Amino acid sequence: MKWKKVCAAALCLAMAGSLAACGGSSGSAANSGSSDGALTINIWDANQQAGIQEICNDWTALGNPKVNVEVIDWDNYWTLLEAGASGGDLPDVFWMHSNYAQIYMDNDILLDLTDYIEKDGVDMSMYYEDIANMFTRSDGKIFALPKDHDTIALLYNKKLFDEAGVEYPTNDWTYEDMYTAAKAITEGTADDTYGYALNTSNDQDGWFNYIYSYGGNIINEDKTDTGIDSAESKAGMEMCRKMLTVATPQSVVAESGTDSLFVSGKVGMITQGSWMINTFYTAENSADYAWAEIPYCDRNGDGKCQKEERQSCYNGLGWAADAATNRPDECASLIEYLCSKDAQLKQAELGITMAGIPGISEEFANAFEGMDVSAFTDIETDGTLYLRPGTRNSGKWQDPMKQAGGFLDAFQNPTDEAAMSTACDNVAKMIRNAIAEDQ
């Protein structure tokens, strides 16, 4: 069909240079379901597979078809969906991400759920409004229901803190406190061990939060401009630059990754998202690990944390379906079930992830026996959540801003104070140009 050719071209353009890269397939023919009549679900996080399969089995037990939950790694996942949009071989139901939701909705690749939602009386007001809006097109049509939400916290290794004689992080820590501790650990431990590591290729769990805690922004609320070159944003990125001077060099992070460095005992602290808890909970030395709330910036200097001074980027996935599926009723039913209060409560209780519905994620904090992960849920009362910033086609600037001509030189050479301010100015131009092209 002609529209699929147009969609494929649009998606190739949107994904060029994005987090999605090369190769892979799901091995399932989604439009007709699997050979045993089961619906096929594709996700990219193996940590969630067993729990989601259990919830899908509950739906099947109600007299619905069997569901097979398949995991495709992040890069191959988006290559698979791009190929499916062109070749008509998408999975029945799958996760949708904020990076790509707009382009998929605009090109009618996703099943329109609007009539099902109205017919079945789904209360859209029960979801996080930002996340629900993310999957609602400008004409009011809804193409995915909120699956979850996530937040960011500070993970630390008690053993390295003890070795360096540094007190453990608390929920009262500022970014300056984190810097002081990181510097002491870096100087007080082995040469290949550092107090802090930051993967600058990541943003939601890292340097975005510096900017917002210091009062700046990446994208303003109406998505018409950026404040990344403001004094507040530059102050946040200056704090980030300062942290990088006592952190694991970016060349090492690029080779090994912050998570691997942390579980290897080479890093005292990282900031990380709630979606990664299980990685550390099941690690060999998990007894040494603990979580604290993400630090804050004491903007007014009163020594106390106001809600706006502690900022955590949050995001949420959506459950979506193939617009060309020949089983739309079943796909819509499954999506509504997965996003129901009962299923999302079970999702939290199983420790799969926090809910896409406010007020039922407390059970998530109790799902990891022996590890206190309340920092991820407490942020909603102790701080402010801001939605992961994006525009209609975020791919035009989100990856380029981390590359040469953007922040790359400043990240790799943190002793150059002027480079970070210049990078903020350069990135502001990238974002403004992208916004102008989208309009």
Side-chain angles (χ1 to χ4, degrees), residues 14 103 141 160 180 253 263 289 302 356 363 369 378:
I103 197 74
K141 292 185 177 181
L160 285 181
T180 299
V253 171
V263 297
Y289 307 156
D302 69 351
E363 293 302 323
E369 184 178 356
D378 289 348

Side-chain angles (χ1 to χ4, degrees), residues 110 233 291:
L110 308 180
S233 293
W291 299 91

Side-chain angles (χ1 to χ4, degrees), residues 205-222:
D205 58 3
W207 52 276
F208 273 9
N209 300 298
Y210 290 79
I211 289 175
Y212 282 80
S213 289
Y214 277 74
N217 69 69
I218 308 293
I219 300 293
N220 63 6
E221 289 188 6
D222 58 8

